[in-house]
């Protein structure tokens, strides 16, 4: 899927899963093949906050 896409359902699902796992007290690591595959226009700090809290 293009990193320019507005809707990123797989990324949203990954963030939700990370939040759920983190809520149980486990550590979470999100691994991407290349930084640019995560997203060019995404604020990474916001993404990290969404995944952890």
């Amino acid at each position: 899927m293009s990193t320019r896409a507005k809707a990123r359902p797989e990324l949203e699902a990954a963030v939700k899963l990370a939040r759920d796992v983190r809520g149980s007290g486990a550590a979470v690591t999100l691994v991407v093949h290349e930084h640019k595959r995560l997203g060019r226009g995404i604020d990474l700090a916001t993404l990290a906050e969404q995944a952890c809290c």
Side-chain angles (χ1 to χ4, degrees):
M1 176 174 281
S2 171
T3 57
R4 298 176 198 269
K6 298 284 183 197
R8 308 271 310 267
E10 295 296 325
L11 177 58
E12 292 170 15
V15 169
K16 181 183 180 315
L17 178 61
R19 190 175 29 242
D20 292 347
V21 170
R22 184 74 178 130
S24 70
V28 175
T29 302
L30 179 64
V31 178
V32 294
H33 176 68
E34 294 179 75
H35 178 263
K36 68 181 184 179
R37 301 305 306 155
L38 184 57
R40 291 185 177 107
I42 294 175
D43 179 358
L44 296 180
T46 301
L47 179 63
E49 184 176 310
Q50 290 173 351
C52 78
C53 307

